[in-house]
């Protein structure tokens, strides 16, 4: 169903509402809650890691824009579970059981970053976030603002006020349907109980960088869909017996399986009980493997299909466009540098991470 709607949603005013409704009715939003809260622990409990990985890959194959929103929901539910006080966790769990979609909005507007001040038992927000995915669909967003010593303080804020949202600036070639734009938080008043944890908790590992395996799983799903589209196109042309095409098929297949194996280890170990901080490096390396695999598939599809791979409106062109943009998330050079620093300083093989 989601895959069949992807082409129609591929525009700046595209509507992912029916896709979110399907995820809601099928219990996928609720599944991200812990089992004690009525969920299945997808992304929030060790036993739900493999299922979470599969779900993100499946959605990535269907529509990367929908997968982006679901990954943000999974991330936000986890952050509330990790750092929210008991009353807030209970309230959020009830909202999610009733169908609420959550998100994580991290990018500040450069000249108007998010800030907050305490006033008795309330918190007053200022500033704005940009590249906020799911405008008009996300009910609550986890956002960050500088707290004590400049360390990021996580805040859970309602984001359903339409006049505060502006998607007009989202003019990227890919991921058009995510409605990623600006949200103005100026003078939004919250309770102090909407603060998640303490300043700096957001950066705690292995949950911060370690969590990149989730969006990498969506990337992998998109690349898998692209590979399937290539196979079908080559079959339709009668080109699958060609030795050059077979070489391209094998290159894609091995790259995708390598990425899947890496992500399986990342998900199971990062989300494992009492996972060490060092597991974050495993995810950073996994991100590198997944990006290389995705770029291999994009390149081989271009070589295999030629101009047909660039035909506007075709599934191949749309998936390539969405995937190429999604791979830019987030600061890949910095993530590579962090991973390299750990490898150099520790002198370990990857096996020992």
């Amino acid at each position: 169903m989601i895959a069949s709607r992807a082409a129609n949603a591929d525009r700046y005013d595209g509507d992912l509402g029916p896709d979110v409704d399907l995820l809601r009715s099928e219990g996928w939003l609720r599944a991200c809650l812990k089992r004690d809260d009525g969920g299945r622990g997808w992304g929030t409990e060790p036993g739900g890691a493999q299922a979470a990985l599969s779900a993100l890959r499946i959605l990535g194959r269907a529509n990367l824009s929908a997968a982006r929103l679901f990954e943000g929901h999974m991330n936000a539910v986890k952050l509330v579970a990790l750092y929210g006080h008991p009353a807030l966790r209970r309230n959020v769990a009830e909202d999610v059981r009733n169908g609420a979609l959550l998100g994580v909005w991290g990018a500040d507007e450069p000249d108007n970053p998010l800030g907050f001040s305490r006033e008795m038992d309330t918190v007053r927000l200022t500033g704005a976030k940009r590249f906020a995915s799911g405008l008009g669909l996300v009910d609550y967003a986890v956002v960050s603002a500088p707290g004590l010593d400049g360390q990021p303080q996580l805040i859970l804020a309602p984001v359903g006020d339409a006049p505060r949202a502006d998607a007009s600036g989202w003019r990227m070639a890919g991921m058009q349907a995510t409605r990623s734009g600006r949200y103005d938080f100026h003078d939004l008043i919250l309770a102090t109980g909407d603060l998640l944890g303490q300043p700096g908790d957001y950066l705690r590992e292995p949950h911060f960088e370690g969590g990149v395996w989730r969006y990498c799983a969506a990337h992998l799903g998109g690349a898998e869909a692209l590979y399937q589209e290539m196979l079908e196109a080559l079959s339709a042309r009668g080109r699958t017996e060609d030795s050059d095409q077979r070489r391209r098929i094998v290159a894609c297949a091995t790259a995708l399986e390598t990425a899947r194996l890496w992500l399986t280890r990342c998900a199971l170990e990062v989300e494992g009980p009492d996972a060490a901080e060092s597991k974050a490096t495993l995810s950073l390396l996994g991100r590198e493997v997944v990006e290389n695999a995705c770029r291999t598939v994009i390149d081989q599809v271009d070589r295999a299909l030629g101009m047909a791979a660039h035909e506007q409106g075709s599934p191949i062109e749309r998936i390539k466009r969405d995937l190429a943009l999604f791979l830019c998330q987030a600061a890949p050079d910095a993530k590579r540098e962090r991973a390299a620093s750990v490898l150099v300083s520790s002198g370990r093989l990857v096996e020992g991470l």
Side-chain angles (χ1 to χ4, degrees):
M1 291 289 290
I2 291 176
S4 67
R5 286 193 290 260
N8 188 55
D10 180 38
R11 58 182 192 275
Y12 296 122
D13 60 348
D15 184 12
L16 292 178
D19 302 322
V20 174
D21 286 341
L22 181 62
L23 296 177
R24 186 177 290 120
S25 65
E26 293 296 317
W28 281 40
L29 302 185
R30 186 173 63 251
C32 298
L33 294 170
K34 290 188 171 183
R35 288 175 174 83
D36 288 346
D37 292 325
R40 287 183 265 177
W42 290 5
T44 49
E45 292 180 331
Q50 186 66 60
L53 172 60
S54 296
L56 289 164
R57 284 175 62 207
I58 289 169
L59 263 186
R61 289 181 211 145
N63 186 344
L64 282 165
S65 290
R68 171 69 189 92
L69 297 191
F70 183 67
E71 188 277 328
H73 174 81
M74 186 183 290
N75 188 7
V77 171
K78 182 177 183 66
L79 290 171
V80 172
L82 284 171
Y83 305 124
H85 61 79
L88 182 63
R89 294 199 303 266
R90 288 193 297 271
N91 291 340
V92 169
E94 181 178 3
D95 286 338
V96 172
R97 287 194 298 270
N98 290 330
L101 177 69
L102 276 59
V104 179
W105 294 351
D108 282 308
E109 193 170 56
D111 59 352
N112 188 27
L114 192 71
F116 73 98
S117 59
R118 292 174 181 261
E119 301 174 4
M120 301 295 288
D121 294 330
T122 63
V123 174
R124 180 185 297 270
L125 302 186
T126 58
K129 290 290 184 181
R130 63 173 182 165
F131 303 150
S133 295
L135 292 176
L137 292 173
V138 172
D139 298 294
Y140 297 94
V142 175
V143 295
S144 62
L148 294 175
D149 299 324
Q151 292 295 304
Q153 171 67 61
L154 291 177
I155 306 166
L156 183 68
V159 291
D161 187 0
R164 293 179 178 271
D166 179 11
S168 63
W170 184 246
R171 286 296 178 265
M172 300 296 176
M175 306 293 281
Q176 294 178 5
T178 58
R179 287 186 59 81
S180 300
R182 179 181 187 272
Y183 195 89
D184 185 358
F185 289 91
H186 186 67
D187 277 345
L188 181 63
I189 307 297
L190 305 173
T192 54
D194 293 319
L195 301 177
L196 298 179
Q198 301 300 315
D201 279 349
Y202 186 32
L203 304 180
R204 285 169 56 187
E205 297 295 3
H207 307 301
F208 180 56
E209 296 284 26
V212 304
W213 70 264
R214 290 186 300 268
Y215 66 69
C216 289
H219 295 170
L220 177 57
E224 289 170 338
L226 197 54
Y227 169 73
Q228 292 291 338
E229 292 286 345
M230 178 187 72
L231 281 182
E232 291 177 13
L234 289 175
S235 296
R237 294 179 179 187
R239 297 291 306 282
T240 54
E241 300 302 315
D242 183 278
S243 60
D244 288 328
Q245 301 293 18
R246 288 188 167 223
R247 174 175 52 81
R248 293 176 182 123
I249 291 168
V250 169
C252 291
T254 53
L256 291 173
E257 180 62 5
T258 300
R260 187 191 68 81
L261 292 171
W262 264 86
L263 287 184
T264 298
R265 182 185 172 193
C266 292
L268 293 177
E269 296 193 22
V270 169
E271 304 302 327
D274 303 318
E277 292 182 7
S278 61
K279 295 302 180 183
T281 303
L282 189 62
S283 264
L284 292 176
L285 294 170
R287 189 211 177 282
E288 188 80 0
V289 172
V290 171
E291 178 177 355
N292 289 339
C294 291
R295 296 199 184 282
T296 292
V297 173
I298 291 172
D299 178 64
Q300 294 301 323
V301 166
D302 279 345
R303 293 175 184 276
L305 302 182
M307 292 179 64
H310 299 268
E311 183 180 352
Q312 287 187 344
S314 69
I316 291 173
E317 185 270 339
R318 170 176 48 79
I319 297 168
K320 284 203 309 164
R321 182 163 32 86
D322 284 351
L323 183 57
L325 181 63
F326 205 168
L327 287 172
C328 295
Q329 183 185 353
D333 290 345
K335 287 177 168 49
R336 186 180 306 111
E337 175 63 22
R338 291 190 193 102
S341 295
V342 171
L343 291 172
V344 171
S345 62
S346 69
R348 295 181 186 178
L349 296 171
V350 174
E351 181 184 18
L353 291 175

